[in-house]
Amino acid sequence: MSENKKSKAPELAAAATPEAPSAPEKPAVTEPVFSLERLRRDCFRVFGITTSTFDAAVYGLTGEFTVNELRERIKTFQNTRVLPADKGGK
């Protein structure tokens, strides 16, 4: 009988031990979103670009964006290589 009690002791100890409380879930921190008009107003201060560059970079976009989303879009626009136009007179 003593062997039987010893073999159940670890099982009982494991069952009696409460599980560690799970860490409270923190809400995901979201970046604020702004309209294109609002970002255009302060484009020089926020992105360091003129309104004409801003307009070209966001051409065709609608909706609201975070500053980082638009910063990446502007960076991509500025780093896009422009090929010379074909002269066509050959």
Side-chain angles (χ1 to χ4, degrees):
M1 275 200 161
S2 63
E3 283 183 39
N4 195 10
K5 286 183 182 179
K6 286 182 183 179
S7 64
K8 288 187 179 181
E11 292 174 10
L12 293 174
T17 306
E19 291 185 25
S22 62
E25 291 185 31
K26 294 180 182 178
V29 177
T30 58
E31 294 182 55
V33 292
F34 302 96
S35 66
L36 289 174
E37 293 80 22
R38 176 67 180 102
L39 291 167
R40 186 180 190 274
R41 254 187 287 163
D42 294 322
C43 66
F44 188 76
R45 198 168 40 177
V46 174
F47 304 112
I49 60 172
T50 62
T51 54
S52 59
T53 303
F54 182 87
D55 291 342
V58 300
Y59 179 76
L61 291 180
T62 58
E64 296 183 331
F65 299 89
T66 66
V67 171
N68 286 333
E69 287 174 335
L70 232 45
R71 184 173 283 127
E72 288 300 314
R73 171 91 179 192
I74 292 167
K75 189 185 300 182
T76 301
F77 171 77
Q78 290 177 324
N79 293 329
T80 301
R81 184 176 176 177
V82 178
L83 298 176
D86 193 17
K87 299 286 182 178
K90 286 189 166 183

